[in-house]
Amino acid sequence: SYRAVSRRLACGDVEGRLEAIFGRVRAIQAKSGRFDMLLCVGNFFSSTSEAEWAEYRTGAKKAPIPTYVLGANSPDTLSYFPDVSGCELAENITYLGRRGVYSGCSGLQIAYLSGTEAQQQPEPAHCFSTKDVAELKTSLLATPNFRGVDILLTSPWPRDVGTFANSTGEVDTKKCGSRLVADLAASLKPRYHFAALEKTYYERLPYRNHMVLQETPQHVTRFIALADVGNTSKKKYLYAFSIVPMSSMDPAELVKQPQDVTENPYRKLRKEAPKSKAPLSAEEEPACQFFFDLNKHQGRKRPSEGKERGDSQPKQAKKPPQPTGPCWFCLASPEVEKHLVVSIGTH
C-alpha cells in the first residue's frame, strides 16, 4: 500500500562533520519533503569532532531527522559509544549497536554490523569477528520463512563485490573489503547494502540472489558505497531512496528482475569459504542456504551408505544439480520465454 512506502537517506563517513551533513539534510527536506530517517555507515565521528559533537550531545543543537549510526572503526573514537549494545547518543541520534536487526514501526528490517573485520584474536573493541557474523546470521536465518532483509548496514565493503559488475574505479575489491561482510551479505540477501570507508561513491549493478533455472527467483540486491561527507572531489555521500518493506510487498513484485541484473558476486567466495582459515560451521555452508532439510537428511544417511558401499570403493561422482524451478524453454510450460526461442527443429 502507499502508506507502507518509507523514504530514507543513507550517508557515508560523516567524520564529525555534523553541521555539513545535517545542513545538507535540512536543504533536501526543504526542497523534497520529509524523510523518515538517516542511516550512517562508516566513521560517524573522527578523533577531532569533540567541539562540534558537544553541541548536539548537550542538546544545544538537534539533528533534523532521526539518525542511526554504526559504531567505531578505530580505537580513537570508541569513547563516543558508551554502550556496546546500542544507545541514544543525543536527541535524534542513535547508535545501533555492535550487531543486530532494527525493525521500525513500518516493518522495515535493517540488519547492521559495526566496526571492521578483526585481524587478530581476541578481536579489539572496534572490530567484529567470525562469531559476530555467525550469530547475526543465525538469529535471522532461524526466523520462519526468512527471505532476506530490507537493508544491510556495514562500514567495510564486502570482498569481491566488484565481480561480474560495473567498474569499481580505484578500489580493487579482490584485495579490499571484508570476506565476513561478503559472507553476511550472501546469507542475509539485503535489498540494499550500504557501506563506506573507501572515500568513494560506487553503485553496483543489482545482483541476483538465486541461481537461474536451479532456484526459485528471489529479489535482487543493490550495493551502494558512499563517499565521505563534504569531500572536496564532490563524490556522492548522500543517497535518497524509497522502499516498501519486504513484508508488505506482493511476492511477484518483489522478485522482479531488472534488465541490468548480474550474477551474484559472492558465489565463488562462499564455495572457497570452508577451505579458509575460519571455516563456516556445517549449518552455514553455502549449500545449506536453500536446502536445509535436504542436507540434514543426507548427513544422517551418509554413514550407513558408506558401510554398504565399503570404504575401498571409489566415491560416486556427484550428479549435476537438477533445476528445481519450471523450465523456461519448454513450449508446454505456461512460463515459456518465447522471445528467447530462435527456431524450433525436429529430430
Side-chain angles (χ1 to χ4, degrees):
S1 70
Y2 174 75
R3 260 175 283 174
V5 178
S6 60
R7 302 172 78 220
R8 311 279 155 143
L9 291 167
C11 85
D13 308 271
V14 175
E15 295 190 334
R17 301 185 193 103
L18 303 175
E19 288 302 293
I21 184 61
F22 292 142
R24 183 91 179 90
V25 169
R26 281 189 196 96
I28 287 171
Q29 293 202 125
K31 186 179 175 184
S32 308
R34 195 178 67 82
F35 282 78
D36 299 299
M37 64 168 62
L38 170 66
L39 303 168
C40 301
V41 291
N43 297 313
F44 187 71
F45 295 106
S46 76
S47 52
T48 58
S49 45
E50 187 48 50
E52 214 170 310
W53 172 238
E55 295 187 293
Y56 287 87
R57 196 185 65 239
T58 58
K61 288 184 177 174
K62 181 186 165 183
I65 185 174
T67 302
Y68 295 85
V69 310
L70 293 180
N73 296 299
S74 62
D76 52 4
T77 56
L78 277 169
S79 59
Y80 288 100
F81 304 96
D83 184 346
V84 72
S85 59
C87 55
E88 187 177 79
L89 301 177
E91 190 179 354
N92 253 3
I93 303 176
T94 303
Y95 162 48
L96 286 164
R98 187 183 175 93
R99 62 168 190 272
V101 181
Y102 174 83
S103 296
C105 52
S106 66
L108 203 68
Q109 264 203 324
I110 303 171
Y112 56 88
L113 179 68
S114 286
T116 56
E117 183 172 332
Q119 303 300 316
Q120 65 202 67
Q121 292 297 333
E123 69 276 2
H126 63 280
C127 294
F128 55 82
S129 64
T130 309
K131 184 169 177 274
D132 287 314
V133 171
E135 285 177 7
L136 179 53
K137 280 166 56 177
T138 303
S139 66
L140 278 159
L141 295 175
T143 54
N145 306 317
F146 177 76
R147 290 180 294 172
V149 295
D150 291 300
I151 298 169
L152 173 61
L153 305 176
T154 63
S155 286
W157 289 30
R159 178 71 60 89
D160 278 343
V161 71
T163 307
F164 307 124
N166 44 317
S167 169
T168 54
E170 293 167 19
V171 180
D172 180 357
T173 60
K174 285 184 166 47
K175 294 175 184 168
C176 143
S178 160
R179 285 178 182 273
L180 288 177
V181 168
D183 179 49
L184 185 66
S187 294
L188 298 193
K189 295 176 278 194
R191 291 161 67 202
Y192 284 90
H193 179 183
F194 294 101
L197 296 184
E198 299 301 326
K199 304 207 180 305
T200 192
Y201 168 68
Y202 173 61
E203 184 167 359
R204 191 200 186 282
L205 290 171
Y207 64 79
R208 291 187 192 96
N209 282 300
H210 66 279
M211 290 177 74
V212 176
L213 294 180
Q214 292 186 36
E215 292 163 353
T216 310
Q218 297 184 46
H219 59 270
V220 301
T221 294
R222 289 174 166 82
F223 171 75
I224 296 147
L226 294 160
D228 47 320
V229 169
N231 67 85
T232 52
S233 312
K234 300 273 194 324
K235 289 176 180 172
K236 187 168 178 171
Y237 62 82
L238 194 61
Y239 184 91
F241 63 110
S242 295
I243 185 168
V244 176
M246 196 185 292
S247 54
S248 307
M249 283 188 75
D250 171 59
E253 189 68 28
L254 177 66
V255 303
K256 272 189 178 169
Q257 306 290 302
Q259 281 190 316
D260 56 355
V261 69
T262 78
E263 279 302 318
N264 189 302
Y266 310 127
R267 289 211 182 278
K268 185 166 175 257
L269 196 71
R270 285 168 72 78
K271 279 177 192 161
E272 290 168 358
K275 300 172 202 163
S276 67
K277 287 180 201 167
L280 300 171
S281 67
E283 303 94 79
E284 291 160 13
E285 281 185 21
C288 299
Q289 193 175 349
F290 304 100
F291 305 116
F292 293 101
D293 296 332
L294 182 65
N295 276 351
K296 283 177 188 165
H297 183 60
Q298 288 174 338
R300 282 198 300 273
K301 286 189 78 172
R302 262 184 211 135
S304 61
E305 283 172 359
K307 284 172 199 163
E308 285 162 25
R309 283 201 308 263
D311 292 335
S312 58
Q313 287 186 16
K315 285 184 182 175
Q316 290 179 346
K318 271 190 182 174
K319 289 181 183 175
Q322 295 299 310
T324 56
C327 175
W328 295 355
F329 301 103
C330 171
L331 293 177
S333 167
E335 295 182 42
V336 62
E337 301 278 0
K338 285 185 180 166
H339 64 284
L340 298 178
V341 178
V342 178
S343 65
I344 300 169
T346 55
H347 59 88

